[in-house]
Amino acid sequence: MNQADLTELQKLTGVGQKKAQDIIDFRTKNGDFKSLEDLGKVSGFGDKTLEKLKDELCFE
């Protein structure tokens, strides 16, 4: 999550170009994601989306 570029982020379930860019913008402004809950602070990422993504993500 913290090193993925736009193309890599779009490979995640349910993440298109807009959401991928939102992740990068949030990460740039607020620093690295530490957990799934941090991703929940990005617009468009609710509980259902996070549940779908939890097994695809790494926060190292």
Side-chain angles (χ1 to χ4, degrees):
M1 283 305 303
N2 293 317
Q3 298 172 356
D5 63 21
L6 191 69
T7 302
E8 292 170 320
L9 290 169
Q10 289 180 69
K11 294 178 183 177
L12 296 171
T13 301
V15 176
Q17 185 174 353
K18 168 91 171 75
K19 280 188 178 181
Q21 188 60 56
D22 288 346
I23 290 170
I24 292 170
D25 293 345
F26 186 91
R27 185 176 67 195
T28 300
K29 183 178 179 183
N30 299 289
D32 287 352
F33 294 98
K34 306 260 189 285
S35 67
L36 192 63
E37 289 76 27
D38 285 348
L39 183 58
K41 297 175 185 174
V42 177
S43 177
F45 286 86
D47 292 339
K48 290 180 184 179
T49 303
L50 295 176
E51 183 65 28
K52 291 177 189 175
L53 289 172
K54 71 178 183 179
D55 294 331
E56 295 183 51
L57 303 178
C58 176
F59 294 96
E60 296 178 3

